[in-house]
Amino acid sequence: MAEALVTKDTIIADLLKINMGCVPILINEGMHCIGCPASQGETLEEACGVHGLNVDELVGKLNDFLTNVED
């Protein structure tokens, strides 16, 4: 089980260091620019603002994934 949980202030690059399995979740939510260098320094809240997404819903999905993934 993952120890680290994310918040709306989590930097995307840090999220990817926690678990690359988060990438499909981001892509499914419409964040297709996840590989863009500029996006790596954004927080989840900033990225959600650009993409018109609800940050709390996305954080919930990511934390659900991270708490249920096996090491």
Side-chain angles (χ1 to χ4, degrees):
M1 182 178 297
E3 294 177 16
L5 296 178
V6 298
T7 69
K8 64 183 181 179
D9 297 318
T10 300
I11 302 292
I12 291 176
D14 294 338
L15 173 64
L16 300 180
K17 289 177 188 173
I18 293 169
N19 191 309
M20 287 295 290
C22 293
V23 170
I25 296 168
L26 297 173
I27 290 173
N28 286 336
E29 293 298 314
M31 291 187 182
H32 301 131
C33 62
I34 195 68
C36 172
S39 73
Q40 299 302 300
E42 288 183 322
T43 64
L44 287 171
E45 184 172 40
E46 292 167 335
C48 283
V50 169
H51 292 282
L53 301 172
N54 182 311
V55 67
D56 295 321
E57 289 178 11
L58 179 60
V59 166
K61 289 177 183 180
L62 292 166
N63 281 324
D64 285 346
F65 168 75
L66 291 170
T67 56
N68 290 304
V69 72
E70 295 182 20
D71 290 333

